[in-house]
Amino acid sequence: MKRLAPICLLLIGTMLLMAGYQDATAAPKVKLHVVGKSMNQRPSGSTWAYNPGLLVAGLGSKVYLYADTTGSADTTVTSWSWSVTAGTATLDSGATSVAYNSFTPGATGTYTIQITANATGSSATSSVTVYVSTYTGNTANPMDAPPGCFCHSNGAVTGGVDYFAKWSKTPHATMMKRGMMGQQEVVEETNQGLYAQGCTNCHGVAPEPLVDNGNYAFLAHTQPAASPNSWDSIWVKGLPKTADGRDVMITVGVDTIWNKMPADVKLRATIGCENCHGPAAGHKAGGAASMIAVSAKSDACNACHDGSKRHSLGSWARVSRHQTGHTIEGEGGNSSCAKCHSGQGFIDNVKNGSVSVTPEYAETPIGCPTCHDPHDTTNVDMYQLRKVTVTLSNGFTPPGEKTGYLCMNCHQARSAVTTYVKPNEPAAPNGNKYYGFKSRFYPHHSNQGDMLFGQNGYEYGDTRLSGLQTHANLEGACATCHMAMRPTGSGNEMPNHQWDMDPTRYTAGLNPLYNPGKACESCHGVEDYEQIQAAWDYDGDQVVESAMAEVEGMMTKLKAFLPKNTSGEVIGGGSVNATDSAAVANRFDYVAGIWTYWFVEEDRSMGMHNAKYTVRLLGKALNETWANVEIDRENFGQPETYALSQNYPNPFNPT
């Protein structure tokens, strides 16, 4: 009976928790958001409605709401209370729905929705205000005012930056025009371009054919006359079709079709300001900032870039670690973290060279606008990436511009190795030498850029190691492998926006199964990076294994010799305490070995990013004889001779 008592108490406690009971002093946290619903996110069997998830919504367009309770810890929300405190609207899921709800505004103006999350003995409230307006359209002519966004073309409200003119030169601005002039998906043999009737649904302003709010699709369906003679169906008549009947074929450069488009439809025949910032009629009339939306989230992009298998970038990005594992807590974190862990923080850092922490940082994951600037044409041939250069923390700047250099602006060590590993520091007041072992002693969690270029590892005084590379000439650097083209299931391929190289994270569903290891095949002849063979037996276990297995073996040997914490991990991989500092006092060999261990571990590729540099660093740390032989930077094969330089005493290898 004595043995059963603890079990009964455990069961009772579990039942109370499930029933919603909790510590009366605990309070939930709640933040109400407007969220988008892409075509691929719509419930099965339902009709998709255009929804970019902005704080400015189109008249008659459904607005989706989500109550986020992140930060509530173990506090259990027992009930929800929804209310409309400004405007007149009916909440689709009622006043006591769970965390999701929605409404369809029947008039222009301001709507405020409030949510209260109730827990036992406490509650939390949040609200969101949505401005509802109609679409006016704009053309790619920066002088087209008032339909064009004139204030944003003369720089009066944008600090002198002509955003409208910059946007007018982007592929978004002229997408439909180029399609109707045969300038997209050109078949060179026939000098014709392929374009489909359905393409215009996403290449125009806010495509929602059943909602009368000034959007492209509705006007195209009703102009110049009632269906079936409306523009959305007559423009394709008489054009030759492809064998599968999906696309029409248009002679390249002929503007006949485009010029026949009704004038009010043409104003909206572009992916324009209102696609990203919401319907602008109220803003243009009154100019209030609350009447236009600015968002660094992906929702507006996914309204088009997450529809069908062919256009499903959002579905892949949504399950990436960028959007699921890298967020800023609290009111936006600190500037050091926010510049990489917040989408808006990264944008501000690229634009201004620094960040000023705001609560918005906590609400913007790393999404489409984080990497891509919809206004900029500087890097239009490189997918309008915000930055295609990089300087690592040790001052190294790789030459030229590459898509993957954008990634390295965050995927690099926080500081130079010389800040942490200092072999020549004078003795501290207690008589022990200080070698740079600080409160945090590791290259942070993403030093992939450093590893790729053979930079910022502790090189044990061997200058030959600096710059040693395995993947020196990858066309896109990181993007070559992590964004290799993946199948869409419709005869096309698109860059992999899940980025992950772990094949187990790709599952069946909307998209076909994908093996990221195929990126290795063209160079290594295998579709599994774990099968890439090592040049020799690096770890000395008398078996030549895969490069990853050999590196893992070396890491096991190094770990065995280094001081560890109570969890069995090598110290220095997180915050360092006094006990850790004492363990390395006057032991530079430990300090250097710990940095090397975490430099390889935090790279998280076990040598795949740069086998040459990884193996040499570990060899130096372990004082392996081959680690000091002459380095052939072109061929990383079995060394012909061995020459051991003076490196004694070494506690890892005292012989």
Side-chain angles (χ1 to χ4, degrees):
M1 188 64 184
K2 291 182 179 180
R3 295 183 63 187
L4 291 176
I7 299 176
C8 292
L9 290 173
L10 177 62
L11 290 173
I12 292 171
T14 303
M15 292 171 66
L16 289 175
L17 181 61
M18 294 176 64
Y21 290 91
Q22 59 184 30
D23 182 355
T25 61
K29 292 183 179 180
V30 63
K31 176 69 175 179
L32 190 57
H33 298 278
V34 172
V35 295
K37 286 283 187 180
S38 70
M39 184 182 295
N40 287 346
Q41 289 178 299
R42 73 190 189 281
S44 178
S46 66
T47 301
W48 177 70
Y50 175 81
N51 186 272
L54 300 170
L55 292 177
V56 177
L59 173 65
S61 297
K62 191 175 291 294
V63 177
Y64 292 94
L65 304 160
Y66 168 59
D68 183 7
T69 56
T70 300
S72 294
D74 294 328
T75 304
T76 303
V77 176
T78 56
S79 65
W80 303 90
S81 301
W82 294 82
S83 61
V84 181
T85 60
T88 302
T90 300
L91 294 171
D92 296 330
S93 299
T96 60
S97 171
V98 292
Y100 288 94
N101 218 320
S102 60
F103 72 96
T104 303
T108 59
T110 299
Y111 293 75
T112 300
I113 313 299
Q114 180 175 287
I115 178 69
T116 299
N118 302 302
T120 303
S122 61
S123 64
T125 299
S126 179
S127 64
V128 66
T129 297
V130 180
Y131 182 75
V132 175
S133 188
T134 57
Y135 298 93
T136 64
N138 55 265
T139 69
N141 178 4
M143 298 307 294
D144 180 27
C149 300
F150 186 72
C151 291
H152 297 274
S153 65
N154 64 16
V157 295
T158 53
V161 180
D162 194 339
Y163 282 112
F164 195 87
K166 288 162 71 72
W167 161 82
S168 67
K169 296 180 179 64
T170 65
H172 274 163
T174 58
M175 185 72 72
M176 192 184 303
K177 182 176 182 179
R178 287 183 288 113
M180 290 187 173
M181 291 178 62
Q183 294 172 328
Q184 293 206 64
E185 297 189 52
V186 175
V187 180
E188 295 183 359
E189 292 80 1
T190 62
N191 193 37
Q192 291 176 311
L194 307 181
Y195 203 52
Q197 184 176 356
C199 291
T200 59
N201 287 338
C202 269
H203 295 174
V205 171
E208 203 162 3
L210 302 180
V211 181
D212 184 5
N213 58 17
N215 72 79
Y216 166 83
F218 182 84
L219 291 178
H221 195 60
T222 58
Q223 299 292 332
S227 180
N229 299 313
S230 50
W231 173 254
D232 65 350
S233 61
I234 63 175
W235 76 268
V236 296
K237 291 184 177 179
L239 294 173
K241 293 187 175 182
T242 54
D244 58 11
R246 191 181 71 178
D247 298 323
V248 295
M249 305 178 73
I250 305 169
T251 302
V252 176
V254 176
D255 59 4
T256 304
I257 301 172
W258 174 256
N259 290 333
K260 287 182 179 180
M261 186 183 295
D264 55 348
V265 178
K266 185 178 289 188
L267 285 175
R268 297 155 174 83
T270 179
I271 303 169
C273 308
E274 292 174 302
N275 291 71
C276 300
H277 298 287
H283 177 65
K284 289 181 179 179
S290 60
M291 296 178 180
I292 203 70
V294 178
S295 175
K297 299 179 182 179
S298 300
D299 296 36
C301 309
N302 286 338
C304 288
H305 289 284
D306 190 30
S308 78
K309 292 182 178 179
R310 183 177 183 183
H311 299 286
S312 58
L313 298 179
S315 291
W316 290 67
R318 198 161 34 246
V319 296
S320 74
R321 290 184 172 92
H322 280 157
Q323 294 197 34
T324 61
H326 293 263
T327 57
I328 294 293
E329 297 293 336
E331 294 300 306
N334 60 61
S335 58
S336 177
C337 300
K339 65 183 181 181
C340 283
H341 289 271
S342 163
Q344 186 61 57
F346 182 82
I347 293 170
D348 289 350
N349 192 51
V350 170
K351 283 185 174 182
N352 309 320
S354 61
V355 298
S356 298
V357 176
T358 69
E360 183 184 11
Y361 285 0
E363 301 173 15
T364 51
I366 301 166
C368 313
T370 307
C371 301
H372 303 275
D373 186 344
H375 303 113
D376 196 18
T377 57
T378 304
N379 300 314
V380 69
D381 294 330
M382 300 180 78
Y383 311 102
Q384 293 178 240
L385 294 175
R386 291 190 180 274
K387 192 173 183 181
V388 290
T389 59
V390 65
T391 297
L392 301 180
S393 56
N394 68 343
F396 174 77
T397 300
E401 298 179 344
K402 293 185 178 182
T403 54
Y405 289 175
L406 173 84
C407 314
M408 296 181 196
N409 280 277
C410 285
H411 288 273
Q412 61 168 279
R414 177 182 291 178
S415 300
V417 61
T418 52
T419 303
Y420 288 89
V421 185
K422 302 180 178 182
N424 300 314
E425 286 292 316
N430 62 4
N432 291 325
K433 293 194 73 175
Y434 169 69
Y435 298 111
F437 201 75
K438 298 186 175 184
S439 60
R440 287 190 178 274
F441 192 79
Y442 64 115
H444 202 43
H445 301 296
S446 55
N447 57 303
Q448 291 85 6
D450 305 77
M451 182 64 84
L452 188 73
F453 287 112
Q455 298 287 330
N456 222 12
Y458 183 69
E459 296 168 355
Y460 298 85
D462 191 341
T463 58
R464 300 172 303 165
L465 270 61
S466 184
L468 196 62
Q469 299 177 48
T470 302
H471 294 114
N473 299 309
L474 291 179
E475 182 179 4
C478 314
T480 301
C481 299
H482 289 269
M483 297 190 72
M485 302 301 280
R486 48 89 180 166
T488 65
S490 57
N492 296 278
E493 290 189 326
M494 299 195 76
N496 171 28
H497 277 71
Q498 190 172 322
W499 294 284
D500 210 302
M501 295 299 290
D502 181 356
T504 64
R505 282 183 46 83
Y506 293 86
T507 58
L510 172 70
N511 302 291
L513 286 171
Y514 173 67
N515 176 21
K518 283 190 68 66
C520 309
E521 185 179 21
S522 61
C523 295
H524 297 282
V526 294
E527 294 183 10
D528 182 354
Y529 45 79
E530 293 187 6
Q531 294 180 1
I532 298 174
Q533 196 75 356
W536 77 85
D537 180 20
Y538 306 142
D539 62 1
D541 65 356
Q542 309 305 309
V543 179
V544 178
E545 303 163 284
S546 71
M548 292 184 73
E550 293 289 348
V551 168
E552 189 171 357
M554 296 182 77
M555 289 286 282
T556 299
K557 290 176 67 176
L558 181 57
K559 182 177 182 178
F561 288 111
L562 295 173
K564 289 170 277 292
N565 57 28
T566 55
S567 298
E569 287 296 330
V570 174
I571 62 175
S575 296
V576 174
N577 56 34
T579 301
D580 299 331
S581 296
V584 300
N586 212 26
R587 292 295 298 268
F588 179 71
D589 49 352
Y590 281 172
V591 172
I594 291 169
W595 177 268
T596 300
Y597 179 87
W598 286 113
F599 186 81
V600 174
E601 179 68 25
E602 294 293 354
D603 171 59
R604 300 175 188 271
S605 78
M606 280 295 137
M608 288 299 95
H609 290 144
N610 191 344
K612 292 181 180 180
Y613 197 57
T614 300
V615 170
R616 288 288 179 172
L617 292 179
L618 291 172
K620 290 283 186 180
L622 292 167
N623 195 27
E624 296 287 356
T625 55
W626 53 261
N628 295 304
V629 303
E630 189 62 35
I631 296 172
D632 184 343
R633 304 181 79 88
E634 296 299 324
N635 301 304
F636 194 46
Q638 175 75 29
E640 295 180 359
T641 59
Y642 293 88
L644 178 62
S645 300
Q646 181 61 40
N647 195 22
Y648 180 85
N650 184 336
F652 299 163
N653 188 357
T655 59

